[in-house]
């Protein structure tokens, strides 16, 4: 019998959610995703600090922002030497509410990749799923720059991303689960909220069915998993991006991973949701979980970006 990881690959594209090259080599994902927190964690390890040192040394006259982007691209290039597919590289989260600045930084990242001989088809630019970020993605997609809309917690966000023709969205399973568990407090019953009934799984399932029902081409990549059960409950999703710890658990467990999501099952009476700004902001505001987790996620990524800035500045001293 094959491992659950191999079985999962029969239904879903497996993506590594890490900046750890050695983990990627061992686990053989198709794609890889990074974010400021993962890169910060990586450059503090002896194995990856030379990438930071080399970037700072070779571009001494560059601004901190440029050095950060060059560092992200250095990681991305190394990752693309390992994975056969694509890498996601994130625009600075401090620009999450600035459409024009996000577009400019994304263009800069793609230019650095192309200067290194990496075709833009192998790169996904990660942008937070704010209204401003989604409009930046709309413009970038029209230029052939493919976008991964991240920090996504609700169907209205997913609908707006699809309207912008985003290449891919990353709905966060684990953070939705975290919010509902904390909100429920002592009344939370784990067994009643596991597998297909997990709040994060239910959210991604709803998005999947909406997209497939209306023939939306934007790819869905479940992200931010807390346990193997969440992953197995979303087998059949277009892509799943998974941490090395959970990938290792799947690889070390024999068993099947039958498809739980099937495009043919997206039937029934599904109402369309508007993709205009007023509808987006109204529905997002009415969803306490999505509003809070989006704001919190941006704050956390900004905090790690500031820490990464400090490491870069220390190298320039």
């Amino acid at each position: 019998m094959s491992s659950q990881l191999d079985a999962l690959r029969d239904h879903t594209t497996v993506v590594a959610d890490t900046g750890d090259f050695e983990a990627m080599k061992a686990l053989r994902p198709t794609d890889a995703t990074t974010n400021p927190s993962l890169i910060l964690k990586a450059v503090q390890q002896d194995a990856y600090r030379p990438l930071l040192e080399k970037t700072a040394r070779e571009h001494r006259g560059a601004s901190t922002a440029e050095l950060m982007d060059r560092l992200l691209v250095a990681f991305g290039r190394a990752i693309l030497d390992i994975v056969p597919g694509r890498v996601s590289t994130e625009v600075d989260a401090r620009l999450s509410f600035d459409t024009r600045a996000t577009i400019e930084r994304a263009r800069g990242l793609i230019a650095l990749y192309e200067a290194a001989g990496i075709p833009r088809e192998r790169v996904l630019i990660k942008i937070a799923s704010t209204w401003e970020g989604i409009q930046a993605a709309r413009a970038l997609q029209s230029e052939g720059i493919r976008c991964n809309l991240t920090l996504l917690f609700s169907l209205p966000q997913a609908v707006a991303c699809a309207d912008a023709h985003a290449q891919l969205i990353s709905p966060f399973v684990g953070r939705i689960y975290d919010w509902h568990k904390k909100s429920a407090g002592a009344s939370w019953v784990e067994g009643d909220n596991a597998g297909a009934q997990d709040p994060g799984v239910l959210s991604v399932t709803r998005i999947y069915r909406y997209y497939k029902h209306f023939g939306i081409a934007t790819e869905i990549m479940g992200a931010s998993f807390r346990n193997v059960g969440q992953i197995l409950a979303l087998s059949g999703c277009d892509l799943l991006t998974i941490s090395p710890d959970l990938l290792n658990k799947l690889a070390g467990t024999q068993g099947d991973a039958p498809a739980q999501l099937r495009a043919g099952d997206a039937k029934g009476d599904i109402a369309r949701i508007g993709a205009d700004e007023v509808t987006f902001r109204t529905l997002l505001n009415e969803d306490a979980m999505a509003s809070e987790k989006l704001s919190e996620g941006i704050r956390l990524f900004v905090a790690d970006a500031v820490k990464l800035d400090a490491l870069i500045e220390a190298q320039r001293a």
Side-chain angles (χ1 to χ4, degrees):
M1 183 178 291
S2 65
S3 72
Q4 287 182 325
L5 181 57
D6 286 336
L8 182 66
R9 287 190 172 108
D10 291 338
H11 310 292
T12 293
T13 297
V14 173
V15 181
D17 192 16
T18 182
D20 186 334
F21 307 150
E22 296 308 315
M24 292 178 210
K25 291 175 183 176
L27 294 163
R28 301 178 294 108
T30 300
D31 294 354
T33 59
T34 63
N35 61 46
S37 302
L38 293 174
I39 299 302
L40 175 66
K41 180 179 178 181
V43 296
Q44 294 180 87
Q45 300 175 35
D46 291 342
Y48 302 110
R49 184 173 290 276
L51 263 181
L52 170 61
E53 295 169 347
K54 182 174 184 289
T55 300
R57 183 173 63 252
E58 292 181 351
H59 304 281
R60 291 190 180 279
S63 66
T64 301
E66 181 183 341
L67 284 174
M68 178 184 286
D69 285 354
R70 287 187 176 277
L71 179 63
L72 296 178
V73 171
F75 267 90
R77 289 170 58 191
I79 288 168
L80 290 173
D81 285 339
I82 300 168
V83 303
R86 304 168 295 187
V87 67
S88 289
T89 298
E90 192 149 347
V91 170
D92 192 327
R94 287 168 286 193
L95 306 179
S96 294
F97 300 101
D98 189 331
T99 298
R100 176 50 52 191
T102 295
I103 292 170
E104 291 173 358
R105 284 293 278 274
R107 287 172 177 163
L109 287 166
I110 287 295
L112 290 174
Y113 273 112
E114 291 186 327
I118 304 294
R120 61 178 57 188
E121 291 77 14
R122 296 197 69 196
V123 180
L124 294 171
I125 298 297
K126 286 180 76 175
I127 301 169
S129 297
T130 58
W131 178 257
E132 294 80 5
I134 294 168
Q135 301 321 302
R138 185 187 301 278
L140 293 165
Q141 288 282 160
S142 72
E143 300 175 9
I145 297 175
R146 301 177 183 188
C147 298
N148 171 354
L149 274 296
T150 189
L151 291 175
L152 192 145
F153 302 96
S154 67
L155 181 58
Q157 287 176 287
V159 170
C161 291
D163 186 68
H165 305 291
Q167 180 70 31
L168 181 147
I169 60 170
S170 295
F172 277 33
V173 178
R175 297 193 193 189
I176 294 174
Y177 164 89
D178 294 343
W179 189 93
H180 283 279
K181 184 174 182 178
K182 181 179 179 180
S183 179
S187 66
W188 178 265
V189 178
E190 188 67 32
D192 293 344
N193 295 279
Q197 299 308 310
D198 182 293
V201 171
L202 287 169
S203 180
V204 176
T205 300
R206 186 182 180 206
I207 292 168
Y208 179 90
R209 289 177 177 164
Y210 187 98
Y211 272 25
K212 302 311 177 187
H213 181 81
F214 291 109
I216 293 168
T218 297
E219 301 168 61
I220 304 166
M221 181 171 70
S224 170
F225 293 103
R226 299 294 180 257
N227 55 65
V228 166
Q230 292 172 337
I231 296 166
L232 296 178
L234 290 173
S235 177
C237 193
D238 301 333
L239 308 94
L240 297 175
T241 183
I242 307 168
S243 69
D245 285 348
L246 291 176
L247 284 171
N248 280 316
K249 287 183 180 179
L250 289 164
T253 304
Q254 289 189 332
D256 199 5
Q260 304 299 317
L261 301 185
R262 303 174 187 85
D265 294 341
K267 300 174 182 177
D269 186 16
I270 300 178
R272 276 197 178 274
I273 296 175
D276 60 282
E277 182 176 1
V278 171
T279 300
F280 174 90
R281 293 193 186 280
T282 299
L283 294 179
L284 185 61
N285 182 67
E286 290 176 354
D287 188 334
M289 177 277 297
S291 297
E292 291 171 21
K293 297 309 286 186
L294 174 60
S295 297
E296 177 189 71
I298 292 170
R299 289 194 300 271
L300 290 172
F301 281 165
V302 167
D304 283 342
V306 170
K307 292 175 185 175
L308 193 53
D309 278 353
L311 289 178
I312 290 170
E313 289 291 341
Q315 287 298 317
R316 291 154 57 96

Coordinates of all heavy atoms in Angstrom, one line a residue, residues 95-150:
L95 N 2.3 46.8 2.1 CA 1.6 47.5 0.9 C 0.2 46.9 0.7 O -0.4 47.2 -0.4 CB 2.5 47.3 -0.4 CG 4.0 47.7 -0.2 CD1 4.7 47.4 -1.5 CD2 4.0 49.2 0.1
S96 N -0.3 46.2 1.6 CA -1.6 45.5 1.4 C -2.8 46.4 1.1 O -3.8 45.9 0.6 CB -1.9 44.7 2.7 OG -1.0 43.6 2.9
F97 N -2.7 47.7 1.4 CA -3.8 48.6 1.2 C -3.4 49.7 0.2 O -4.0 50.7 0.1 CB -4.2 49.3 2.5 CG -4.7 48.3 3.5 CD1 -3.9 47.9 4.5 CD2 -5.9 47.6 3.4 CE1 -4.3 46.9 5.5 CE2 -6.3 46.7 4.3 CZ -5.5 46.3 5.3
D98 N -2.3 49.4 -0.6 CA -1.8 50.3 -1.6 C -1.7 49.6 -3.0 O -0.8 48.9 -3.2 CB -0.4 50.9 -1.2 CG 0.1 52.0 -2.0 OD1 -0.3 52.1 -3.2 OD2 0.9 52.8 -1.5
T99 N -2.7 49.8 -3.8 CA -2.8 49.1 -5.1 C -1.6 49.5 -6.0 O -0.9 48.6 -6.5 CB -4.1 49.5 -5.8 OG1 -5.2 49.1 -5.0 CG2 -4.2 48.8 -7.2
R100 N -1.3 50.8 -6.1 CA -0.2 51.2 -7.1 C 1.1 50.6 -6.6 O 1.9 50.1 -7.4 CB -0.2 52.7 -7.2 CG 0.9 53.3 -8.0 CD 1.1 52.6 -9.4 NE -0.2 52.6 -10.1 CZ -0.4 51.9 -11.2 NH1 0.6 51.2 -11.7 NH2 -1.5 52.0 -11.9
A101 N 1.4 50.8 -5.3 CA 2.7 50.3 -4.8 C 2.8 48.8 -4.9 O 3.9 48.3 -5.2 CB 2.9 50.7 -3.3
T102 N 1.7 48.1 -4.7 CA 1.8 46.6 -4.9 C 2.1 46.2 -6.3 O 2.9 45.3 -6.6 CB 0.4 46.0 -4.5 OG1 0.2 46.2 -3.1 CG2 0.4 44.5 -4.7
I103 N 1.5 46.9 -7.3 CA 1.7 46.6 -8.7 C 3.2 46.9 -9.0 O 3.9 46.1 -9.6 CB 0.8 47.5 -9.6 CG1 -0.6 47.1 -9.4 CG2 1.3 47.5 -11.0 CD1 -1.6 48.1 -10.1
E104 N 3.7 48.0 -8.5 CA 5.1 48.3 -8.8 C 6.1 47.3 -8.2 O 7.1 46.9 -8.8 CB 5.5 49.7 -8.3 CG 4.7 50.8 -9.1 CD 4.9 52.2 -8.5 OE1 5.5 52.3 -7.4 OE2 4.4 53.2 -9.0
R105 N 5.8 46.9 -6.9 CA 6.7 45.9 -6.3 C 6.6 44.5 -7.0 O 7.6 43.8 -7.2 CB 6.4 45.7 -4.8 CG 6.9 46.8 -3.9 CD 8.4 46.9 -3.8 NE 9.0 46.0 -2.9 CZ 9.1 46.2 -1.6 NH1 8.6 47.4 -1.1 NH2 9.6 45.3 -0.7
A106 N 5.4 44.2 -7.4 CA 5.2 42.9 -8.2 C 6.0 42.9 -9.5 O 6.7 41.9 -9.9 CB 3.8 42.6 -8.4
R107 N 5.9 44.0 -10.2 CA 6.6 44.1 -11.5 C 8.1 44.0 -11.2 O 8.9 43.4 -12.0 CB 6.3 45.5 -12.1 CG 4.9 45.6 -12.7 CD 4.7 47.0 -13.2 NE 3.4 47.2 -13.8 CZ 2.8 48.4 -14.0 NH1 3.4 49.5 -13.5 NH2 1.6 48.4 -14.6
G108 N 8.6 44.6 -10.1 CA 10.0 44.6 -9.8 C 10.5 43.1 -9.5 O 11.5 42.7 -9.9
L109 N 9.6 42.4 -8.7 CA 10.0 41.0 -8.5 C 10.1 40.2 -9.7 O 11.0 39.4 -9.9 CB 8.9 40.4 -7.5 CG 9.0 40.9 -6.0 CD1 7.7 40.5 -5.3 CD2 10.2 40.3 -5.3
I110 N 9.1 40.3 -10.6 CA 9.1 39.6 -11.9 C 10.3 40.0 -12.7 O 11.0 39.1 -13.3 CB 7.8 39.8 -12.6 CG1 6.6 39.1 -12.0 CG2 7.9 39.4 -14.1 CD1 6.7 37.6 -12.0
A111 N 10.7 41.3 -12.7 CA 11.9 41.7 -13.5 C 13.1 41.0 -12.9 O 14.0 40.6 -13.7 CB 12.0 43.2 -13.4
L112 N 13.2 40.9 -11.6 CA 14.4 40.2 -11.0 C 14.4 38.7 -11.4 O 15.5 38.2 -11.8 CB 14.4 40.3 -9.5 CG 14.6 41.7 -8.9 CD1 14.4 41.7 -7.4 CD2 16.1 42.2 -9.3
Y113 N 13.3 38.1 -11.4 CA 13.3 36.7 -11.9 C 13.6 36.6 -13.3 O 14.4 35.7 -13.7 CB 11.9 36.1 -11.7 CG 11.6 35.5 -10.3 CD1 10.7 36.2 -9.4 CD2 12.3 34.4 -9.9 CE1 10.5 35.6 -8.1 CE2 12.0 33.8 -8.6 CZ 11.2 34.5 -7.7 OH 10.9 33.9 -6.5
E114 N 13.1 37.4 -14.2 CA 13.3 37.3 -15.6 C 14.8 37.7 -15.9 O 15.4 37.1 -16.8 CB 12.4 38.2 -16.4 CG 10.9 37.7 -16.3 CD 10.0 38.5 -17.2 OE1 10.2 39.7 -17.3 OE2 9.0 37.9 -17.7
A115 N 15.4 38.6 -15.2 CA 16.8 38.9 -15.3 C 17.7 37.7 -15.0 O 18.8 37.6 -15.5 CB 17.2 40.1 -14.5
A116 N 17.2 36.8 -14.1 CA 17.9 35.6 -13.8 C 17.6 34.4 -14.7 O 18.0 33.3 -14.4 CB 17.6 35.2 -12.3
G117 N 16.8 34.7 -15.7 CA 16.4 33.6 -16.7 C 15.3 32.8 -16.3 O 15.0 31.7 -16.9
I118 N 14.5 33.2 -15.3 CA 13.3 32.5 -14.8 C 12.1 33.1 -15.5 O 11.7 34.2 -15.4 CB 13.1 32.6 -13.3 CG1 14.3 32.1 -12.5 CG2 11.9 31.8 -12.9 CD1 14.7 30.7 -12.7
P119 N 11.4 32.3 -16.3 CA 10.2 32.8 -17.0 C 9.1 33.1 -16.0 O 8.9 32.4 -15.0 CB 9.8 31.6 -17.9 CG 10.4 30.4 -17.3 CD 11.6 30.8 -16.7
R120 N 8.3 34.1 -16.3 CA 7.3 34.5 -15.4 C 6.2 33.5 -15.1 O 5.5 33.5 -14.1 CB 6.6 35.9 -15.8 CG 5.9 35.8 -17.2 CD 5.3 37.1 -17.5 NE 6.2 38.2 -17.5 CZ 5.9 39.5 -17.6 NH1 4.6 39.9 -17.7 NH2 6.8 40.5 -17.6
E121 N 6.1 32.5 -16.0 CA 5.1 31.5 -15.9 C 5.4 30.6 -14.7 O 4.5 29.9 -14.2 CB 5.0 30.6 -17.1 CG 4.4 31.3 -18.3 CD 5.4 32.3 -19.0 OE1 6.6 32.2 -18.7 OE2 4.9 33.1 -19.8
R122 N 6.6 30.6 -14.2 CA 7.0 29.8 -13.0 C 6.9 30.5 -11.7 O 7.3 30.0 -10.7 CB 8.4 29.2 -13.2 CG 8.6 28.3 -14.4 CD 9.9 27.5 -14.3 NE 9.8 26.5 -13.2 CZ 10.8 25.9 -12.7 NH1 12.1 26.2 -13.1 NH2 10.7 25.0 -11.7
V123 N 6.4 31.7 -11.7 CA 6.3 32.6 -10.5 C 4.9 33.0 -10.3 O 4.2 33.4 -11.2 CB 7.3 33.8 -10.6 CG1 7.2 34.6 -9.4 CG2 8.7 33.4 -10.9
L124 N 4.5 32.9 -9.0 CA 3.2 33.4 -8.6 C 3.5 34.6 -7.6 O 4.3 34.3 -6.6 CB 2.3 32.4 -7.9 CG 1.8 31.3 -8.8 CD1 1.1 30.2 -8.0 CD2 0.8 31.8 -9.9
I125 N 3.0 35.7 -7.8 CA 3.2 36.8 -6.9 C 2.1 36.8 -5.9 O 0.9 36.9 -6.2 CB 3.1 38.2 -7.7 CG1 4.3 38.3 -8.7 CG2 3.2 39.3 -6.7 CD1 5.7 38.2 -8.1
K126 N 2.4 36.7 -4.6 CA 1.5 36.6 -3.5 C 1.1 38.0 -3.0 O 2.0 38.8 -2.8 CB 2.0 35.8 -2.3 CG 2.1 34.3 -2.6 CD 2.6 33.5 -1.4 CE 1.7 33.4 -0.3 NZ 2.2 32.6 0.8
I127 N -0.2 38.2 -2.9 CA -0.8 39.5 -2.5 C -1.9 39.2 -1.5 O -2.7 38.3 -1.8 CB -1.3 40.2 -3.7 CG1 -0.2 40.5 -4.7 CG2 -1.9 41.6 -3.3 CD1 -0.6 41.0 -6.1
A128 N -2.0 40.0 -0.5 CA -3.1 39.8 0.5 C -4.4 40.1 -0.2 O -4.5 41.0 -1.0 CB -2.9 40.7 1.7
S129 N -5.5 39.4 0.2 CA -6.8 39.5 -0.4 C -7.6 40.6 0.1 O -8.8 40.5 0.5 CB -7.6 38.2 -0.3 OG -6.9 37.1 -1.0
T130 N -7.0 41.8 0.2 CA -7.7 43.0 0.5 C -8.3 43.5 -0.8 O -8.0 43.0 -1.9 CB -6.8 44.1 1.1 OG1 -5.8 44.4 0.1 CG2 -6.1 43.7 2.4
W131 N -9.3 44.5 -0.7 CA -9.8 45.0 -2.0 C -8.7 45.6 -2.8 O -8.6 45.4 -4.0 CB -10.9 46.1 -1.7 CG -11.4 46.7 -2.9 CD1 -11.1 47.9 -3.5 CD2 -12.3 46.0 -3.8 NE1 -11.8 48.1 -4.6 CE2 -12.6 47.0 -4.9 CE3 -13.0 44.8 -3.8 CZ2 -13.4 46.7 -6.0 CZ3 -13.9 44.5 -4.9 CH2 -14.1 45.4 -5.9
E132 N -7.8 46.3 -2.2 CA -6.7 47.0 -2.9 C -5.8 45.9 -3.5 O -5.3 46.1 -4.6 CB -5.9 47.9 -1.9 CG -6.7 49.1 -1.4 CD -7.7 48.8 -0.3 OE1 -7.7 47.6 0.2 OE2 -8.4 49.7 0.1
G133 N -5.5 44.9 -2.8 CA -4.6 43.8 -3.3 C -5.3 43.1 -4.5 O -4.6 42.8 -5.5
I134 N -6.6 42.9 -4.4 CA -7.3 42.2 -5.5 C -7.2 43.1 -6.7 O -7.1 42.6 -7.9 CB -8.7 41.9 -5.1 CG1 -8.7 40.8 -3.9 CG2 -9.5 41.3 -6.2 CD1 -10.0 40.6 -3.2
Q135 N -7.4 44.4 -6.6 CA -7.3 45.3 -7.8 C -5.9 45.3 -8.3 O -5.8 45.5 -9.6 CB -7.8 46.7 -7.4 CG -9.3 46.7 -6.9 CD -10.2 45.7 -7.6 OE1 -10.4 45.8 -8.8 NE2 -10.8 44.8 -6.8
A136 N -4.9 45.2 -7.5 CA -3.6 45.1 -8.0 C -3.4 43.9 -8.8 O -2.8 43.9 -9.9 CB -2.6 45.2 -6.9
A137 N -4.0 42.8 -8.3 CA -3.9 41.5 -9.1 C -4.6 41.6 -10.4 O -4.1 41.0 -11.4 CB -4.5 40.4 -8.2
R138 N -5.7 42.3 -10.5 CA -6.4 42.5 -11.7 C -5.5 43.1 -12.8 O -5.4 42.6 -13.9 CB -7.6 43.4 -11.5 CG -8.5 43.5 -12.7 CD -9.6 44.6 -12.5 NE -10.5 44.2 -11.3 CZ -11.5 43.4 -11.4 NH1 -11.8 42.8 -12.5 NH2 -12.2 43.1 -10.3
A139 N -4.8 44.2 -12.4 CA -3.9 44.8 -13.3 C -2.7 43.9 -13.7 O -2.3 43.9 -14.9 CB -3.4 46.1 -12.7
L140 N -2.2 43.3 -12.7 CA -1.0 42.4 -13.0 C -1.3 41.2 -13.9 O -0.6 40.9 -14.8 CB -0.4 41.9 -11.6 CG 0.2 43.0 -10.8 CD1 0.4 42.5 -9.4 CD2 1.5 43.5 -11.4
Q141 N -2.5 40.6 -13.6 CA -2.9 39.5 -14.5 C -3.1 39.9 -15.9 O -2.7 39.2 -16.8 CB -4.2 38.9 -13.9 CG -4.1 38.1 -12.7 CD -3.5 36.7 -12.8 OE1 -3.0 36.1 -11.9 NE2 -3.6 36.2 -14.0
S142 N -3.5 41.2 -16.1 CA -3.7 41.7 -17.5 C -2.4 41.9 -18.2 O -2.3 41.9 -19.4 CB -4.5 43.0 -17.5 OG -3.7 44.1 -17.0
E143 N -1.3 41.9 -17.4 CA 0.1 42.1 -18.0 C 0.8 40.7 -18.1 O 1.9 40.7 -18.5 CB 0.9 43.0 -17.1 CG 0.4 44.4 -16.9 CD 1.2 45.2 -15.9 OE1 2.2 44.7 -15.5 OE2 0.7 46.3 -15.6
G144 N 0.1 39.6 -17.7 CA 0.7 38.3 -17.8 C 1.5 38.0 -16.5 O 2.3 37.0 -16.6
I145 N 1.3 38.7 -15.5 CA 2.0 38.4 -14.2 C 0.9 37.7 -13.3 O -0.1 38.2 -13.0 CB 2.4 39.7 -13.5 CG1 3.5 40.4 -14.3 CG2 3.0 39.4 -12.1 CD1 4.0 41.7 -13.8
R146 N 1.2 36.4 -13.0 CA 0.3 35.6 -12.4 C 0.3 35.8 -10.8 O 1.4 35.9 -10.3 CB 0.6 34.1 -12.7 CG 0.5 33.9 -14.2 CD 0.8 32.5 -14.7 NE 0.8 32.4 -16.1 CZ 0.9 31.3 -16.8 NH1 1.0 30.1 -16.2 NH2 0.8 31.3 -18.1
C147 N -0.9 35.8 -10.3 CA -1.0 36.2 -8.8 C -1.6 35.1 -8.0 O -2.5 34.4 -8.5 CB -1.8 37.4 -8.7 SG -1.1 38.9 -9.5
N148 N -1.1 35.0 -6.8 CA -1.7 34.1 -5.7 C -2.2 35.0 -4.7 O -1.5 35.7 -4.0 CB -0.5 33.2 -5.2 CG -0.9 32.4 -4.0 OD1 -2.0 32.6 -3.4 ND2 0.0 31.6 -3.5
L149 N -3.5 35.0 -4.5 CA -4.2 35.9 -3.5 C -4.3 35.1 -2.2 O -5.0 34.1 -2.1 CB -5.6 36.3 -4.0 CG -5.6 37.6 -4.9 CD1 -5.2 38.8 -4.1 CD2 -4.8 37.4 -6.2
T150 N -3.6 35.6 -1.2 CA -3.4 34.9 0.0 C -4.2 35.6 1.2 O -4.9 36.6 0.9 CB -1.9 34.8 0.4 OG1 -1.7 34.0 1.5 CG2 -1.3 36.2 0.7

